[in-house]
Amino acid sequence: MRTSLLILILASLVLTSCGTRHRLSRSEKARDSSFVYALPFPKGKSYFLIQGYNSWFSHKGRLGLDFKMKLGSEIAAAREGIVVGLQEDFTNGGVHRKFYRKSNYVVVRHADGTQAFYGHLKHQGVLVNVGDSVRMCQVIALSGSTGYSALPHLHFMVWAPSAQGRKQQPVRFSTSKGVLYLRPGSWYK
């Protein structure tokens, strides 16, 4: 497990120094919403981003973010909305295809129709119910390592409605460093 963590951290640092793989294309930036999201954890906390948009390890062609967190860390809603989906019964995880689609998660739908996905949550670590209204920065779950996961972390992504059903959407966050697209290899608060 420590070897997997070391490989992920080193890979994200290499990608950060190379500066190409995790960047957004012009078309991806054009899909960005004007809404600025809160970080998906409580204010005052700081977490390391191990994978960003289009990172090579498991985000090729995907607009997801992975925050390294200890098991059981609090996850907060990055935006207000309604809980429209959840799963909290899976107990295991690992880097094997048998764990695909076996992640615990919460999905929150926002007023503009976008949806935020919070994944790899702890077994029985969801603190909300389908139909609940959540406020921005409200604690909604606990981090874990269920599903396709090498270590405890939070996988966060946003989907926008589209003619095909839904489309991944890059978002910016309000951080202690200003409003940013997050980049792997950095700590965010």
Side-chain angles (χ1 to χ4, degrees):
M1 195 62 86
R2 286 185 180 165
T3 303
S4 296
L5 171 61
L6 181 60
I7 289 169
L8 284 175
I9 290 172
L10 289 173
S12 74
L13 292 174
V14 167
L15 291 176
T16 301
S17 63
C18 294
T20 56
R21 281 229 152 78
H22 64 277
R23 292 186 187 227
L24 296 171
S25 68
R26 285 183 190 197
S27 65
E28 288 167 335
K29 284 184 181 179
R31 290 196 318 243
D32 188 5
S33 75
S34 60
F35 193 89
V36 176
Y37 286 66
L39 290 166
F41 42 84
K43 290 183 185 216
K45 297 286 186 176
S46 179
Y47 290 100
F48 186 75
L49 187 67
I50 54 177
Q51 279 201 100
Y53 298 142
N54 298 308
S55 291
W56 70 271
F57 180 70
S58 65
H59 290 184
K60 289 180 187 174
R62 297 182 67 206
L63 300 178
L65 302 169
D66 286 348
F67 295 91
K68 168 76 172 87
M69 297 180 163
K70 290 182 182 175
L71 184 67
S73 297
E74 293 180 325
I75 306 300
R79 186 173 174 187
E80 69 181 26
I82 305 291
V83 177
V84 295
L86 63 83
Q87 168 65 51
E88 66 175 338
D89 296 330
F90 292 117
T91 56
N92 297 317
V95 185
H96 189 279
R97 67 176 39 139
K98 73 180 181 180
F99 294 113
Y100 285 158
R101 303 199 187 285
K102 293 186 177 179
S103 171
N104 295 323
Y105 63 86
V106 170
V107 177
V108 175
R109 186 180 61 231
H110 312 124
D112 62 1
T114 59
Q115 296 182 6
F117 175 87
Y118 305 79
H120 302 296
L121 305 176
K122 183 178 177 182
H123 174 250
Q124 300 297 314
V126 175
L127 306 176
V128 292
N129 295 302
V130 170
D132 285 355
S133 292
V134 296
R135 299 174 321 280
M136 181 185 285
C137 301
Q138 176 183 335
V139 175
I140 59 172
L142 304 174
S143 65
S145 190
T146 57
Y148 191 76
S149 174
L151 57 128
H153 71 286
L154 168 66
H155 178 82
F156 178 85
M157 67 187 317
V158 174
W159 301 301
S162 76
Q164 294 78 28
R166 63 183 185 195
K167 191 168 195 168
Q168 298 171 38
Q169 178 173 324
V171 297
R172 296 169 297 147
F173 292 86
S174 178
T175 75
S176 61
K177 302 171 188 176
V179 174
L180 307 167
Y181 288 108
L182 306 186
R183 298 173 63 120
S186 294
W187 289 85
Y188 291 99
K189 181 176 182 177

